[in-house]
Amino acid sequence: MPASATNCGPMTRAFSSEVGPGSREENASKNESPAAGITEDGFLGGQLRLRQPRSGHRAGHDAILLAAATPARSGDRVVDLGSGVGAAGLAVARRVGGIDLVLVEIDPVLAELARNNAGTNAIMAQVIVLDVEAGAAAFDDAGLGSDSADVVLMNPPFNDPSRHRASPDGVRERAHVATATTLAGWVHAARRILKSNGQLALIWRADGIAEVLAALDRGFGSVEILPVHGDVTSPAIRILVRATKGGRAPTRLHAALLLNEESGVPNKWVQEILAGKGELPLARR
């Protein structure tokens, strides 16, 4: 698929059933444009305004938690694979100033929204229309050659097709449902474009932890895993993962992140993270 890139001058992917205290990221204020089927939603406590489709795939807690787990530093080239409307990558840029942000998205409509969102939020970003599972030549043509990125973050489609009812919305289906090669293909793309000791951050469903570890086994090490639970009594529903290209440290499992306290009250720390007032342990380098 041909790649197109555009620079935007000054200017958590959503769960099928979203985790978190609200039914939508922060239950943010929203402006709807019925004619265009677009809404404008507030993220990070209003620090980030995003236009996104009113139906189909919508950004939510996944994207913001992923951003808060991404170990970026000022000066890093940070690539968001499968960026959608740009939620995770732009949230990283809002937290860490001075990064060289690249948003990669296969859907031209979502890519255009990401481009506009970068401009609206005065964040410099390059937007590339590209299939993450495309070959090395397509990435080279798009300016994403081997060893060219310091940090990659990604929220691949992760629903198991055998347990997921197909959506009539093709864009939503592609954004949510994994194929047999999705995770391995996305991790391979990240490994190819990352520099030695480059950092990968990803989010996946918790019951697929074995798939994640298998995909990272070739080329990655120093793996850190942060389980995400709805509450103290429930099994983990997501895992946030950080890995280092060429890393050699043992795998590390962090204490669980609880979205709600035992009483059912939203976890205050999680609320601060979603409001853009902090970062998760995986982000610390």
Side-chain angles (χ1 to χ4, degrees), residues 44-123:
L44 302 179
Q47 298 178 60
L48 194 65
R49 302 294 302 183
L50 299 178
R51 288 171 59 80
Q52 57 181 331
R54 187 154 50 98
S55 61
H57 171 63
R58 289 177 61 79
H61 289 164
D62 273 21
I64 301 306
L65 292 177
L66 175 60
T70 299
R73 294 174 174 172
S74 182
D76 282 346
R77 191 183 198 202
V78 177
V79 181
D80 182 358
L81 295 180
S83 67
V85 299
L90 294 173
V92 173
R94 184 61 81 222
R95 176 171 61 86
V96 183
I99 65 172
D100 176 11
L101 179 62
V102 183
L103 305 175
V104 178
E105 171 55 43
I106 189 174
D107 188 296
V109 174
L110 296 181
E112 183 61 24
L113 284 167
R115 184 177 293 112
N116 291 336
N117 286 334
T120 298
N121 289 279
I123 294 173

Side-chain angles (χ1 to χ4, degrees), residues 28-48:
S29 59
K30 175 180 66 177
N31 295 318
E32 297 199 7
S33 174
I38 299 295
T39 66
E40 182 177 297
D41 301 279
F43 292 77
L44 302 179
Q47 298 178 60
L48 194 65

Side-chain angles (χ1 to χ4, degrees), residues 38-258:
I38 299 295
T39 66
E40 182 177 297
D41 301 279
F43 292 77
L44 302 179
Q47 298 178 60
L48 194 65
R49 302 294 302 183
L50 299 178
R51 288 171 59 80
Q52 57 181 331
R54 187 154 50 98
S55 61
H57 171 63
R58 289 177 61 79
H61 289 164
D62 273 21
I64 301 306
L65 292 177
L66 175 60
T70 299
R73 294 174 174 172
S74 182
D76 282 346
R77 191 183 198 202
V78 177
V79 181
D80 182 358
L81 295 180
S83 67
V85 299
L90 294 173
V92 173
R94 184 61 81 222
R95 176 171 61 86
V96 183
I99 65 172
D100 176 11
L101 179 62
V102 183
L103 305 175
V104 178
E105 171 55 43
I106 189 174
D107 188 296
V109 174
L110 296 181
E112 183 61 24
L113 284 167
R115 184 177 293 112
N116 291 336
N117 286 334
T120 298
N121 289 279
I123 294 173
M124 292 288 292
Q126 182 184 19
V127 179
I128 297 173
V129 179
L130 179 67
D131 183 351
V132 174
E133 295 189 71
F139 272 77
D140 289 343
D141 290 344
L144 289 172
S146 299
D147 308 314
S148 63
D150 300 288
V151 178
V152 170
L153 64 150
M154 61 187 192
N155 180 9
F158 54 56
N159 285 335
D160 184 340
S162 67
R163 293 181 291 170
H164 180 80
R165 189 191 319 179
S167 169
D169 186 319
V171 174
R172 184 180 179 86
E173 184 74 4
R174 184 169 58 200
H176 285 261
V177 180
T179 69
T181 63
T182 296
L183 183 59
W186 284 51
V187 169
H188 176 72
R191 181 173 58 246
R192 186 175 60 232
I193 66 174
L194 277 169
K195 300 174 183 176
S196 180
N197 294 315
Q199 302 293 307
L200 170 64
L202 67 92
I203 188 168
W204 194 257
R205 66 181 198 279
D207 64 5
I209 187 171
E211 302 167 52
V212 173
L213 293 175
L216 295 173
D217 189 54
R218 182 167 172 245
F220 286 96
S222 305
V223 178
E224 299 188 34
I225 301 170
L226 176 62
V228 180
H229 297 247
D231 56 55
V232 70
T233 64
S234 303
I237 49 180
R238 297 289 184 266
I239 50 172
L240 289 157
V241 181
R242 168 182 165 183
T244 302
K245 182 177 177 178
R248 296 183 178 274
T251 297
R252 181 182 179 191
L253 184 64
H254 287 262
L257 179 68
L258 300 178

